Amino acid sequence: MTREQRIIELIKNSSKDIDTMTIAKELVLDRPSVSRILNRLVDQGKIVKISGKPVLYKYNSDKKKKNSIELFEESNPSLKHAIDQAKSSILYPPNGINTLIVGETGVGKSHFAEMMHQFALEMSVLKKDAPFILFNCADYAKNPELLMGILFGVKKGAYTGADQDKVGLIELADNGMLFLDEIHNLPQQGQEILFTFIDQGVYRRLGESTGHRKASVRIIGATSESIVSTLVQPFRRRMPMLIEIPNLNHRMESERAELIQLFFNQEARILDQEIYISKDVFISLLFYHCPNNIGQLKSDIQLLCAKAYSDYLLERQKNIQIDTKDLPSTIADGLLDTTEHRALRVKSDYYSTQKICFKPIDNDEESDQSIYSLLDNTVSGLSEEHLGSDQMKKIVEQEIDNYFSSITHTSNGINLAPIESIIDEKSYKTIRKVVDLVHTELHVNWDQNIEMGFILHLHHLIEGAKNNQNHAHFDEEINIDYQLHHRKEFLLAVRCIQLISFEEKVQLPYEESNNLVSFFINVFDQKSEKKKNVQILVIAHGDSTATSMAKTVNQLLNTHAVSAFDAPLNKNPSLVIEEVKNYLQINNTGEDILCLVDMGSFMHICSDLENLLQVKVLALPLVSTLHVLEATRKSILGENVKNIYQSLLSVNFEFFGCHVNEESSLPEKSSVIYDINKPIAILTCCLTGHGTAKYLKDIIEKSLLAEFPELSVIPLQLNQDQLNRKEIDALSQKYEILAIVSTFHVDYHLKQYNVSDIINGNGIEQIKEQIKDALIGNQIKKSLGRELKHVDGSMLFVDLLSVNQAIEQVLKVYLSKNELIGVIMHTAILIDNLKQGMTFPVSINHDISRYQEELDHLHTCFYPLEKKYSFDLTETELFPILEYYFHLR
């Protein structure tokens, strides 16, 4: 609250007229300043001066009450021109002017549009109940037909699923205002239909071919994009009022102070408690770099309040208070700007006290209490679990981070670019120049992951130069081979070094060009690789069964993708398998293989082919022409072998003797539970020095180490000569490597994530699941080691994993993680009880004789275990185990 506002409030709430000295004492202000402000307020008509000794002042209650837009203008003087335009837009006879509001993300375009609607109500331009309909065009940008239906309504039967008439937004906004946010996402067809409505006031619902509907609607559009490039000229002409909202950096300091006060007061009202912040916190918020404008300022203040409230709930603070130690570095940096703004600061009362208190204020707006309710419930639940204070604090902080990460990255439907929030604005502009130069010179457009990796490398290169951390390059020499055989890439790399050095005023070593050339070469090698489609094989009994199906599908799809192998009944199947092997050794160039066979006798071909060709091979039984057609079609479309297999699997569940499990996914042959005796690790890799790899390491560690302290994250530089996997092989001897995070594809058999996966958080969540899967085996092993009394539970767990692999191979049925845990626990407890001499009656609801062959297989698989642990399994004890695999339960 400014000194003027404080003085007005004091005079307004005083029971009698008041003099200058009393005001100065009450508000702890110097008398000359109070006198100047009082004279100014008298001139403005806000207070009345009563002559005498001493001179007294009283509140002018007779002055005309200001409307909301005038009050808004008082606290936002830099928006005076925009507000004058808004007034003209609303008051222009007879029905106002349709308006476009332009400005960066987060400047307050939506709030400005709502204020225009409120002004129209106050001026009786619109009726008191006139609607204000808000619609974000970005939500339906990729579906123009649905977008038109949302705007204009839908006639029953207009398209599949339109089973009733639907009212559109135009109809809902009749006699009111329609606010189209992100209007640049409105397709050209939609703009043309909309300006027809603007001209004539008539429209049709989607699917209507005759008649017209009428509506009177004032339209306001908002965009953060160039209207010249996104809106067609006829549409722009029909939105003649263009209001530009400046970004936060171009607003006055006093306006930003008002916003900070407003947002803290709102949070105090939601909590119904006072919030205290230090003077330095206020200064930091006033001057820190806030690239996403008012929206980010509000979100940052909410986050600070949420964390302060969590400390209050956990009894770490006596009240809700925020100090500089609670600020993230991005906000705390605002304190570094003190000298430049000192002259401005002395004018504000916020600098006269060490602590600032924000009190709950009355406000008719509905409040969003979701984060505070979440914290209340979380702390309450944790208290009942009697957890330690540090552990509770860590859990609460994670809840806060999860909440704000879900709303911060999608502000107003716009995905904020996380890479731009990592790099300062000036360096980012330099890096974009370098990236554009590479695109132009080498005529290539990288995918997002490759480009992000290159940007991060340049960022760390610049930071290293500024901090004198590039000494390692001085002992290197420029690669002569690059100059001779990759001259174009080499010269471009040198230009990149020169451009960065000039723009950033740093001296980069020219030896860095080695890394850039290596990056260019490896990226282009990868981009030039031809995508390999899945190879489809049909193997079927009969003189021409397989050949006939393959020929039909090849003709239908105009391809030669399907290969066929007939197996006459008088021909030994092993000879057919040899033919398949011989054919693939010549005709397979690294493609994964899907074998479609008609009987189980050819199912075991998978492991032989995988060992022979070192590719992924899956086999599907009970093949038909329909199977071959669908598999080939998906292969041509570029789908991988797992997806093709999964799409066909449900057709054949009868072969497995089980029901279709809609939640199941392609089995990963006993890989869902591990027995890990080595520490687990994630590798981060880059081509151009350790900068990006170390950056990725930092992100992963910050996200995962608190939950998984046993995880190691190892950064690697893999240049062109080291892509032979030797370094990874060496690490594999020491660590159980779960995945690779890289700026490029690494030719290794591990799960891989790219840079964007990690930065947007999706990859982190997937890695978490991998770690849980990796560690669950150890947890089960420890549990069995503790609980089993008559056998070594840890050793038995390892043996049961081996037995499961054997069972899966002979039965060709693969268990999910939960199913495998169930069968291992059941079998381990059964064996422990048998060792103790206990037996249990088993109730069986199936005819065991139908499954005699499968039970024989099971007995064979368990035989080594029976000998090792000295027990015997009967068929009635084996059958419940078989039920797990055949889903007969």
Side-chain angles (χ1 to χ4, degrees):
M1 188 179 294
T2 65
R3 283 183 291 184
E4 282 190 2
Q5 291 171 326
R6 292 171 66 193
I7 290 172
I8 290 173
E9 286 297 310
L10 179 62
I11 296 173
K12 182 178 180 180
N13 296 323
S14 177
S15 59
K16 59 182 181 179
D17 301 339
I18 190 167
D19 63 24
T20 305
M21 185 57 71
T22 303
I23 295 171
K25 288 181 178 179
E26 285 283 331
L27 299 180
V28 194
L29 299 173
D30 61 284
R31 189 182 185 285
S33 296
V34 172
S35 179
R36 287 195 302 271
I37 294 172
L38 288 171
N39 288 331
R40 188 162 61 243
L41 293 175
V42 170
D43 292 339
Q44 294 172 356
K46 295 179 180 178
I47 61 174
V48 176
K49 183 177 182 179
I50 303 173
S51 299
K53 290 191 176 182
V55 175
L56 300 176
Y57 298 90
K58 69 176 182 179
Y59 183 70
N60 186 5
S61 57
D62 296 328
K63 69 180 187 297
K64 179 185 176 183
K65 184 178 179 181
K66 295 186 178 181
N67 57 48
S68 58
I69 204 167
E70 290 171 330
L71 294 172
F72 182 79
E73 182 178 348
E74 284 184 359
S75 56
N76 295 275
S78 65
L79 297 181
K80 184 179 186 310
H81 179 64
I83 291 170
D84 288 340
Q85 288 180 292
K87 291 178 181 177
S88 300
S89 168
I90 296 299
L91 298 175
Y92 194 89
N95 298 313
I97 302 174
N98 294 319
T99 301
L100 276 175
I101 305 174
V102 298
E104 296 175 6
T105 299
V107 296
K109 298 187 292 293
S110 299
H111 177 71
F112 197 87
E114 291 174 1
M115 186 185 64
M116 291 176 65
H117 175 255
Q118 181 62 32
F119 177 68
L121 298 179
E122 293 171 352
M123 300 302 293
S124 300
V125 172
L126 295 177
K127 294 180 179 180
K128 289 184 178 181
D129 59 350
F132 178 81
I133 306 296
L134 186 152
F135 176 68
N136 193 320
C137 300
D139 294 341
Y140 298 90
K142 296 181 179 179
N143 193 331
E145 185 180 62
L146 185 56
L147 183 83
M148 292 301 97
I150 294 290
L151 282 175
F152 297 105
V154 179
K155 180 183 178 182
K156 180 179 178 181
Y159 53 79
T160 303
D163 50 3
Q164 60 183 4
D165 290 340
K166 293 184 180 179
V167 176
L169 298 180
I170 293 289
E171 191 169 343
L172 291 174
D174 191 19
N175 295 315
M177 193 173 286
L178 173 62
F179 175 52
L180 298 175
D181 200 9
E182 304 302 330
I183 198 171
H184 57 269
N185 286 294
L186 198 65
Q188 182 173 339
Q189 177 190 4
Q191 295 178 37
E192 292 170 353
I193 296 174
L194 195 57
F195 72 61
T196 300
F197 166 72
I198 292 172
D199 288 344
Q200 304 174 15
V202 297
Y203 66 97
R204 288 175 180 163
R205 288 181 178 176
L206 186 67
E208 287 183 340
S209 56
T210 59
H212 291 287
R213 298 175 182 270
K214 291 185 178 182
S216 175
V217 179
R218 294 168 182 251
I219 295 177
I220 298 177
T223 179
S224 55
E225 301 289 334
S226 165
I227 61 172
V228 175
S229 60
T230 58
L231 301 178
V232 298
Q233 189 176 22
F235 184 74
R236 296 202 305 271
R237 287 203 304 267
R238 288 161 175 82
M239 307 286 283
M241 181 64 77
L242 184 65
I243 299 177
E244 185 172 358
I245 308 295
N247 64 30
L248 196 57
N249 290 335
H250 291 87
R251 304 282 290 274
M252 296 172 62
E253 181 198 23
S254 60
E255 293 175 300
R256 184 154 171 172
E258 288 281 343
L259 289 169
I260 294 170
Q261 174 191 336
L262 171 66
F263 296 149
F264 271 116
N265 281 332
Q266 287 176 346
E267 298 306 304
R269 177 176 56 81
I270 293 171
L271 289 167
D272 197 26
Q273 295 194 57
E274 295 177 341
I275 298 174
Y276 294 86
I277 72 170
S278 70
K279 176 178 68 174
D280 286 342
V281 168
F282 179 80
I283 295 172
S284 299
L285 289 167
L286 199 57
F287 295 111
Y288 83 103
H289 178 55
C290 192
N292 293 297
N293 298 298
I294 297 172
Q296 181 180 341
L297 178 64
K298 182 175 183 179
S299 178
D300 287 342
I301 288 174
Q302 286 178 322
L303 178 57
L304 292 175
C305 292
K307 290 186 175 180
Y309 184 62
S310 72
D311 281 344
Y312 169 76
L313 290 177
L314 295 169
E315 299 180 344
R316 291 174 175 268
Q317 294 179 347
K318 294 181 180 180
N319 46 37
I320 302 172
Q321 60 186 37
I322 304 168
D323 209 337
T324 49
K325 62 180 174 53
D326 304 313
L327 299 178
S329 59
T330 52
I331 297 178
D333 286 345
L335 273 173
L336 303 177
D337 213 7
T338 53
T339 303
E340 182 180 348
H341 297 284
R342 187 175 296 160
L344 294 172
R345 290 198 181 108
V346 297
K347 299 178 182 178
S348 173
D349 292 336
Y350 282 114
Y351 306 108
S352 63
T353 179
Q354 292 300 315
K355 284 283 183 184
I356 303 168
C357 177
F358 295 97
K359 299 181 179 181
I361 58 173
D362 293 329
N363 196 316
D364 294 332
E365 296 179 9
E366 292 186 10
S367 61
D368 177 9
Q369 303 185 44
S370 54
I371 180 58
Y372 300 114
S373 299
L374 172 66
L375 293 178
D376 284 332
N377 294 335
T378 300
V379 172
S380 175
L382 294 175
S383 299
E384 294 176 1
E385 294 180 21
H386 305 293
L387 297 175
S389 60
D390 289 341
Q391 192 173 2
M392 289 174 66
K393 186 174 188 296
K394 186 180 295 184
I395 295 172
V396 170
E397 286 177 347
Q398 186 62 53
E399 290 286 359
I400 294 172
D401 289 342
N402 291 342
Y403 177 86
F404 279 94
S405 66
S406 68
I407 63 175
T408 301
H409 293 298
T410 52
S411 174
N412 295 327
I414 299 291
N415 289 325
L416 305 180
I419 196 74
E420 295 179 41
S421 64
I422 294 166
I423 305 172
D424 69 83
E425 186 176 357
K426 183 177 182 301
S427 293
Y428 187 75
K429 287 181 179 178
T430 300
I431 291 169
R432 285 305 323 176
K433 289 181 180 179
V434 176
V435 172
D436 293 341
L437 173 65
V438 174
H439 286 180
T440 302
E441 293 296 317
L442 299 182
H443 306 292
V444 65
N445 286 318
W446 296 330
D447 63 32
Q448 184 183 23
N449 179 52
I450 293 173
E451 183 163 305
M452 199 173 292
F454 187 56
I455 288 172
L456 287 174
H457 169 68
L458 296 181
H459 166 57
H460 287 285
L461 192 62
I462 293 169
E463 292 299 304
K466 289 179 178 178
N467 298 317
N468 298 316
Q469 294 175 350
N470 287 326
H471 303 302
H473 292 286
F474 295 151
D475 296 329
E476 298 178 6
E477 295 181 357
I478 293 178
N479 192 314
I480 301 298
D481 179 68
Y482 287 162
Q483 294 188 58
L484 294 176
H485 301 106
H486 300 281
R487 188 157 185 78
K488 182 177 181 180
E489 289 82 0
F490 173 76
L491 292 175
L492 176 61
V494 171
R495 287 179 63 189
C496 293
I497 298 297
Q498 292 172 334
L499 176 59
I500 294 172
S501 299
F502 176 78
E503 293 284 344
E504 295 298 311
K505 306 296 188 293
V506 296
Q507 184 57 54
L508 293 184
Y510 278 95
E511 292 80 4
E512 176 61 33
S513 59
N514 291 341
N515 287 327
L516 295 187
V517 175
S518 175
F519 185 88
F520 296 152
I521 295 170
N522 281 281
V523 165
F524 298 147
D525 284 346
Q526 292 179 55
K527 296 293 283 186
S528 63
E529 287 180 3
K530 184 180 179 181
K531 184 173 179 64
K532 297 177 178 179
N533 293 330
V534 175
Q535 197 165 3
I536 307 296
L537 303 185
V538 181
I539 311 173
H541 289 81
D543 293 335
S544 61
T545 307
T547 304
S548 176
M549 284 189 285
K551 182 178 179 181
T552 300
V553 171
N554 283 334
Q555 286 180 346
L556 285 172
L557 298 179
N558 192 26
T559 183
H560 300 286
V562 187
S563 302
F565 297 89
D566 295 315
L569 296 179
N570 59 357
K571 188 174 184 178
N572 192 317
S574 62
L575 296 177
V576 178
I577 292 174
E578 283 302 314
E579 288 179 9
V580 174
K581 291 180 180 179
N582 293 335
Y583 171 81
L584 290 173
Q585 282 183 302
I586 298 173
N587 295 284
N588 182 275
T589 56
E591 300 90 350
D592 290 338
I593 300 169
L594 179 62
C595 298
L596 303 175
V597 304
D598 66 340
M599 291 188 189
S601 56
F602 289 118
M603 286 293 290
H604 68 277
I605 195 174
C606 294
S607 57
D608 291 345
L609 294 180
E610 286 186 341
N611 293 332
L612 177 68
L613 303 170
Q614 295 300 303
V615 298
K616 183 73 174 175
V617 183
L618 295 174
L620 195 73
L622 301 180
V623 68
S624 69
T625 303
L626 182 61
H627 291 85
V628 183
L629 181 64
E630 184 65 7
T632 308
R633 185 182 67 84
K634 289 182 178 292
S635 173
I636 292 172
L637 292 175
E639 292 203 27
N640 63 47
V641 68
K642 292 183 179 181
N643 289 344
I644 299 173
Y645 178 97
Q646 184 62 39
S647 66
L648 303 179
L649 184 62
S650 60
V651 180
N652 296 328
F653 66 90
E654 287 296 340
F655 169 81
F656 298 112
C658 60
H659 299 288
V660 178
N661 183 355
E662 293 182 356
E663 297 180 356
S664 68
S665 60
L666 179 69
E668 286 288 355
K669 293 192 178 181
S670 305
S671 64
V672 289
I673 296 181
Y674 306 86
D675 172 36
I676 294 178
N677 297 308
K678 295 181 289 187
I680 59 174
I682 302 289
L683 301 185
T684 61
C685 304
C686 65
L687 282 171
T688 51
H690 282 73
T692 305
K694 287 182 177 178
Y695 171 75
L696 292 170
K697 173 181 183 290
D698 291 342
I699 293 181
I700 295 171
E701 286 183 338
K702 288 177 183 177
S703 304
L704 298 177
L705 285 193
E707 187 174 353
F708 306 106
E710 56 274 88
L711 175 69
S712 296
V713 185
I714 305 169
L716 291 180
Q717 177 188 356
L718 298 177
N719 62 37
Q720 191 177 23
D721 299 326
Q722 291 176 320
L723 292 178
N724 54 11
R725 318 192 319 185
K726 287 184 179 179
E727 191 166 0
I728 301 178
D729 286 339
L731 287 169
S732 297
Q733 300 300 314
K734 183 179 179 181
Y735 296 94
E736 186 74 34
I737 302 174
L738 301 181
I740 295 175
V741 179
S742 177
T743 58
F744 61 99
H745 177 72
V746 179
D747 185 17
Y748 208 80
H749 60 269
L750 291 167
K751 172 74 174 175
Q752 298 193 29
Y753 300 91
N754 58 40
V755 180
S756 57
D757 291 333
I758 299 305
I759 290 181
N760 66 30
N762 295 332
I764 294 293
E765 293 304 314
Q766 293 180 44
I767 291 174
K768 279 186 180 181
E769 293 304 313
Q770 274 192 271
I771 296 172
K772 290 176 183 177
D773 285 344
L775 296 179
I776 195 170
N778 288 9
Q779 294 167 358
I780 296 172
K781 184 164 64 172
K782 290 178 183 178
S783 175
L784 291 177
R786 290 192 305 266
E787 300 300 327
L788 300 187
K789 307 300 182 185
H790 304 281
V791 292
D792 184 333
S794 298
M795 183 186 299
L796 180 60
F797 168 74
V798 177
D799 290 335
L800 286 174
L801 281 181
S802 298
V803 170
N804 171 69
Q805 288 182 333
I807 294 172
E808 287 182 334
Q809 286 182 353
V810 297
L811 296 183
K812 301 303 176 188
V813 179
Y814 303 102
L815 300 181
S816 68
K817 178 176 66 179
N818 288 334
E819 291 166 344
L820 183 53
I821 293 172
V823 76
I824 286 178
M825 298 297 287
H826 167 86
T827 310
I829 294 170
L830 172 64
I831 292 172
D832 192 54
N833 288 331
L834 290 174
K835 289 289 293 179
Q836 190 180 0
M838 298 173 60
T839 57
F840 300 93
V842 180
S843 176
I844 298 175
N845 298 321
H846 297 275
D847 180 6
I848 291 183
S849 62
R850 291 180 53 199
Y851 302 95
Q852 192 60 53
E853 181 180 354
E854 290 82 0
L855 286 170
D856 289 342
H857 285 316
L858 234 60
H859 223 143
T860 302
C861 294
F862 273 104
Y863 181 76
L865 217 60
E866 289 178 316
K867 295 305 176 187
K868 181 175 181 178
Y869 292 95
S870 301
F871 68 90
D872 294 306
L873 289 171
T874 65
E875 287 187 348
T876 54
E877 290 163 342
L878 282 172
F879 191 79
I881 299 173
L882 186 67
E883 287 182 308
Y884 275 99
Y885 287 91
F886 278 1
H887 299 77
L888 298 177
R889 297 190 168 201

